[in-house]
Amino acid sequence: MTALARAGLYNVLAATFAGPPTDEVVHGLRDGGAIEALIAKGIGGEDLRRWAHTLPEKDVASELTEAFSQVFVRSGARSAALLESAYREGPSDGSEAAGGMSHGAAAEAVVAAYQRAGLVVGGEGPATPQHLSVEFQFLHHCAACEAAAWADADPLGAEIYRNHQAAFVVQHLGVWIDLFADRLSQVGAHPYYRAMAELGARFLAGEQAALTSAGSLDSSQPRGGIVAAAP
């Protein structure tokens, strides 16, 4: 997949888990063929297919807003955290609240990765640096910069940003996205959010395999190990 296409996919995934769906997202689901595209790729299973058949008759925005709140905002047995630390440092069931822990080893390592790519992280935003949506947005940023470098005939610049993506996938998001997707299945999250988590997990697994075979990653490196990013 081209860098520009990767940037677009990462942006969609970031928006999906940043908050309740916007009008643009709802339009894409209802009229843009997004759900049909997921089903065509075998993502989401029969639950997504059944839900897709009800789309014209339901208030999709309010349904998904409630589903987002139920799983990602409220605490309880049916919740799923959106923070890396919940799956790498916290409870094994990933059930801590979405706001949760904003500091700690996972958060510090994520901030360091952002800084190596030239991003300054500071202040108290609505989401912490280790939030799923922010991690996907970081990959979007790096892929967009890679695409811009290719457009400017700058292969070295493109390689640098590709290496930032490779390192981040193997050290961070690629380590816990499967656990997050599993958690959504365990708690019976809405089919749409389960499908989008599955899409992210599948794509990152493919990315990691492609990068390893291309030599961008050391195939002997253990999952989640340290890979030096380009300066």
Side-chain angles (χ1 to χ4, degrees), residues 29-31 36 50-60:
L29 294 178
R30 295 181 64 123
D31 306 313
E36 289 77 7
R50 279 197 300 267
W51 181 65
H53 291 161
T54 71
L55 278 178
E57 297 136 23
K58 288 192 174 184
D59 186 341
V60 177

Side-chain angles (χ1 to χ4, degrees), residues 96-185:
E96 67 180 32
M101 203 166 56
S102 60
H103 305 291
E108 291 172 2
V110 167
V111 169
Y114 297 166
Q115 291 173 338
R116 284 194 295 271
L119 296 178
V120 177
V121 180
E124 291 296 328
T128 69
Q130 56 158 332
H131 193 282
L132 177 61
S133 66
V134 179
E135 294 197 3
F136 271 128
Q137 197 62 38
F138 172 69
L139 288 174
H140 160 76
H141 166 78
C142 290
C145 289
E146 179 195 347
W150 285 121
D152 291 340
D154 178 14
L156 177 59
E159 181 182 3
I160 287 173
Y161 279 104
R162 188 63 168 142
N163 285 343
H164 284 309
Q165 293 166 73
F168 196 78
V169 168
V170 80
Q171 292 177 49
H172 293 287
L173 198 45
V175 178
W176 67 280
I177 187 68
D178 283 338
L179 299 174
F180 171 72
D182 288 345
R183 177 65 184 168
L184 294 193
S185 294

Side-chain angles (χ1 to χ4, degrees), residues 6-19:
R6 272 184 274 116
L9 177 57
Y10 289 139
N11 197 45
V12 169
L13 289 165
T16 297
F17 296 107

Side-chain angles (χ1 to χ4, degrees), residues 88 166-172 174-175 208 212 217-228:
R88 302 189 67 172
F168 196 78
V169 168
V170 80
Q171 292 177 49
H172 293 287
V175 178
Q208 189 159 328
T212 300
L217 297 177
D218 180 355
S219 60
S220 66
Q221 186 75 32
R223 186 178 174 98
I226 300 300
V227 175

